Structures are given as C-alpha cells and as structure tokens.
C-alpha cells in the first residue's frame, strides 16, 4: 500500500513569504503529526491532528498552523517566513489514537525541505 | 537538564560487531519509540515500547520503566545499518526527541 506522501519535496522561499506543505497519510490512518528538523535543534514536534481536529501543539509561534481535511490529508502553513524556518518538515501518520498516547507506531513521509533566503 | 539523553552521540564500529545505543529520560512516558534516519532524511519507525523487550530481525529494543532507560541493540552489524538512531518519548501532550546517535559501520 502507498506510504505517507509529502509535497513538495523541495522548495525555496524568501523571507516574509508564506508556504504551504501537504501530507497525505496512509489509507485508513486518521492521525497526522508534523515535525521540524534542523541541525541545531534536531527533531521537534509541531502539531497533531485527528479527525480534522488539532489535538496537540508543540512550542512554536502562531506563524505555524495546520489543518486536516475529511479525507485525513493534512496541510501545514508557515507565514512570514524567517531564515530560521529553513528545515526539513516531516509528517507522520498513525492509526486511531495517534502518537501522543503512544498507542500507535508512526509512519513517516520523506519530508519537505524548505530553504528560506 | 534535557528530558531525554542519548549515548553515545557518535559510534563507529566494524562490520559484525554488537552495537548498543542508550536512551535515558527523566519524565513519565506512555511509550518510547526508536527511529532510524538514513542520510536522505527519511525516518523509519523501528520499535514502539511501553515495557519489556521487542525483537525484529537483528534489532532488539529493551526498556526499563523504573530506571527510565531504554537500549537499542544491533547484532551482527552491517554497513547498511549506518544511520542516525533517534529515541523519542510519547508524553501526555507531546512527543520529544533525543539528539540521535550517528552510527557508522565499516566493512
């Protein structure tokens, strides 16, 4: 079966612009979570969605937002981009309860690599 | 103090050696994950543990909830095991990650 699909894989933006990243989970998975990975901070949790509702949010500014659609596909948006937003953005999907409860294994997408100039 | 600490940060070993990577944490968790990340960036979930021990092929993961410690073992290591191994903790409202252990297996 198809894995987790993230688009676009690579993108370059300039400071002040906004960006939208997409994540299509494995069929049947209802939970999608997003992560930011940078060389300095490593992997950090952004937010988690389940059945179109944001259930948990990491410690990121309001410029980072997301949503989930009825088909479980999710998007994240970063507005007013800053140089420090350059990172690999990963999403992961899981069945049912999601990653916070620890009840389900995560399946990760390949990531979207964002460069902000 | 970091909530999760991994050791070692870097490890180079010869093919065939037994590898151990450690993860210590200081908070209450609902589960602990071991992840593998190859140079291309893709992450694979290896194990999710809440107690005891799990085995998959040459990989073994253990967790001691009382001591707040987990280990990932690789038996008969192979160059294709070269990757970054990351320990992640599921908490009530978030998931937090270790800094990772960079493993390099020499042929």
């Amino acid at each position: 079966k198809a894995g987790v699909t993230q688009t676009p894989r690579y993108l370059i933006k300039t400071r002040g612009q906004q960006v939208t990243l997409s994540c299509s989970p494995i069929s049947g998975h209802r939970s999608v979570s997003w992560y930011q990975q940078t060389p300095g901070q490593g992997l950090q949790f952004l937010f988690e969605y389940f059945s179109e509702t944001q259930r948990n949010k990491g410690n990121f500014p309001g410029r980072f937002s997301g949503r989930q659609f009825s088909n479980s596909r999710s998007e994240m948006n970063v507005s007013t981009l800053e140089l420090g937003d350059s990172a690999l953005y990963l999403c992961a999907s899981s069945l049912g309860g999601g990653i916070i409860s620890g009840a389900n294994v995560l399946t990760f997408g390949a990531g979207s690599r964002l460069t902000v100039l | 103090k970091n909530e999760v600490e991994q050791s070692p940060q870097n490890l180079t070993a010869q093919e065939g050696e037994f590898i151990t990577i450690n993860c210590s944490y200081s908070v209450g968790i609902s589960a602990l994950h071991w992840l593998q990340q190859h140079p291309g960036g893709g992450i694979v979930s290896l194990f999710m543990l809440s107690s005891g021990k799990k085995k998959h092929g040459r990989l073994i993961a253990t967790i001691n909830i009382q001591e707040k410690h987990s280990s990932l073992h690789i038996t008969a290591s192979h160059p294709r095991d070269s990757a970054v191994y990351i320990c992640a903790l599921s908490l009530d409202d978030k998931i937090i990650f270790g800094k990772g252990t960079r493993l390099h297996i020499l042929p």
Side-chain angles (χ1 to χ4, degrees):
Chain A
K1 61 183 179 183
V4 177
T5 303
Q6 289 190 246
T7 57
R9 290 292 314 279
Y10 303 91
L11 65 166
I12 300 173
K13 294 285 187 178
T14 56
R15 279 181 298 175
Q17 287 187 310
Q18 73 165 10
V19 66
T20 299
L21 308 177
S22 177
C23 175
S24 293
I26 289 175
S27 178
H29 284 196
R30 295 169 64 190
S31 173
V32 174
S33 49
W34 288 91
Y35 308 88
Q36 181 197 64
Q37 186 176 36
T38 60
Q41 297 297 319
L43 270 168
Q44 294 181 279
F45 170 68
L46 280 159
F47 27 65
E48 182 194 21
Y49 287 87
F50 180 79
S51 292
E52 302 179 63
T53 301
Q54 185 182 91
R55 300 207 304 184
N56 292 288
K57 190 177 193 303
N59 190 24
F60 278 81
R63 299 185 298 107
F64 291 81
S65 63
R67 59 178 175 169
Q68 188 180 33
F69 301 96
S70 58
N71 62 358
S72 294
R73 188 178 72 85
S74 177
E75 290 181 347
M76 67 162 284
N77 184 76
V78 188
S79 62
T80 319
L81 284 166
E82 301 177 359
L83 295 178
D85 297 333
S86 294
L88 179 66
Y89 290 89
L90 292 150
C91 78
S93 74
S94 59
L95 285 168
I99 57 100
I100 299 302
S101 67
N104 293 280
V105 173
L106 304 171
T107 302
F108 285 84
S112 294
R113 188 169 295 279
L114 170 65
T115 301
V116 182
L117 302 176
Chain B
K1 181 182 184 299
N2 289 336
E3 293 165 305
V4 56
E5 299 275 0
Q6 280 188 243
S7 62
Q9 288 186 325
N10 295 282
L11 178 57
T12 298
Q14 291 293 138
E15 182 175 356
E17 286 190 37
F18 181 81
I19 303 298
T20 296
I21 298 170
N22 297 298
C23 176
S24 296
Y25 55 94
S26 58
V27 294
I29 64 172
S30 52
L32 182 145
H33 304 256
W34 280 103
L35 310 173
Q36 179 193 56
Q37 185 171 32
H38 282 283
I43 293 179
V44 174
S45 178
L46 299 174
F47 296 103
M48 184 183 69
L49 296 160
S50 54
S51 65
K53 175 180 175 178
K54 288 189 177 180
K55 183 176 189 293
H56 181 71
R58 295 180 296 105
L59 302 177
I60 304 166
T62 64
I63 188 168
N64 185 318
I65 298 296
Q66 286 73 30
E67 295 186 3
K68 290 185 164 58
H69 182 268
S70 176
S71 293
L72 176 68
H73 305 286
I74 305 175
T75 62
S77 59
H78 189 275
R80 64 176 174 266
D81 297 325
S82 298
V84 176
Y85 293 83
I86 302 168
C87 164
L89 311 178
S90 285
L91 280 64
D92 285 344
D93 59 352
K94 60 185 176 181
I95 183 167
I96 59 175
F97 298 88
K99 297 294 186 187
T101 295
R102 188 174 299 275
L103 175 64
H104 187 202
I105 304 297
L106 301 171

